[in-house]
Each structure stands twice: as structure tokens, then as C-alpha cells.
Amino acid sequence: MKLITQEQQNQMLKNGMQTKHDHIGNHWPVVKLFMPDGAATWLLSELNPEEPDIALAFVTLVWGFPNSVMCGFPILPVFRGTWGLPVERDRHFKATKSLLEYSQEVHEAGMIIA
């Protein structure tokens, strides 16, 4: 399974263009990626329109330290968790709030609740 669909990629590029134009980047996440062994979860909201391999993501790691990051999207498929399982897309994920709201929730709860 591809990590993101073409539709998701198009939406994230659109979000990236809007951020570049308006300088506001608080979009709703488009994709949730996770490691099945629970080591990390990413909420991706946009792709850099000038470098579409770079995604804006909010990530939480099993040992804490949630953070917004720019990540090299093509590298994610090579990550492996403790059990050797690859990163997967949550096919049932539907965002219910903005990336900033997820960030605030994570800092309060210590994890992404989606």
C-alpha cells in the first residue's frame, strides 16, 4: 500500500500552496501515518510546493516529545519499528480538528487521540 493516495497528495500540495501564499499553516491533517508497534505517529497536513518530498507533520514518539516537524516524506517507508514492521497509513483516519488543536491535545494527553 502506498503511504498516501494521489488525492491526499493533491490536498497536501494545495495546503502547502495556501500556506506559502497566506503564511498561515494551521490546516487539518490529511493523513495519519503510524508504526504498528506504537513507536511513532505522524499527522501530515501539507507538502512544500517547491519541494514536494518535504511534508509538514505533527509527530509523537513512543517516548514522548511531540513536535511539529518538516520531514522528508520519501524516507518514511524505510523506517522500521521494534518488530520490524513498516510505517502504515491509517485508512480510516478522518481529521476532526486543525493541526494546532491536535498539538494542544497531545501536549495535554501525551499522545495523539484520533
Side-chain angles (χ1 to χ4, degrees), residues 9 12 29-30 40 42 50-51 66 71-72 76 81 100 110:
Q9 181 178 359
M12 290 194 306
V30 176
W42 294 262
E50 295 172 2
E51 295 183 58
C71 64
L76 291 177
L100 178 60

Side-chain angles (χ1 to χ4, degrees), residues 33-84:
L33 303 177
F34 66 97
M35 297 185 83
D37 63 4
T41 301
W42 294 262
L43 297 178
L44 296 113
S45 63
E46 63 188 78
L47 293 172
N48 183 329
E50 295 172 2
E51 295 183 58
D53 288 343
I54 305 295
L56 176 64
F58 185 77
V59 62
T60 60
L61 304 173
V62 71
W63 52 87
F65 309 110
N67 205 357
S68 294
V69 297
M70 297 300 286
C71 64
F73 185 69
I75 195 86
L76 291 177
V78 301
F79 286 160
R80 294 289 184 267
T82 305
W83 303 329

Side-chain angles (χ1 to χ4, degrees), residues 6-46:
Q6 187 64 51
E7 180 181 337
Q8 291 166 328
Q9 181 178 359
N10 292 344
Q11 181 62 52
M12 290 194 306
L13 281 168
K14 180 180 172 185
N15 290 350
M17 293 289 284
Q18 183 179 8
T19 295
K20 182 180 177 187
H21 181 264
D22 299 340
H23 304 286
I24 299 171
N26 188 27
H27 298 285
W28 285 33
V30 176
V31 178
K32 177 183 176 186
L33 303 177
F34 66 97
M35 297 185 83
D37 63 4
T41 301
W42 294 262
L43 297 178
L44 296 113
S45 63
E46 63 188 78

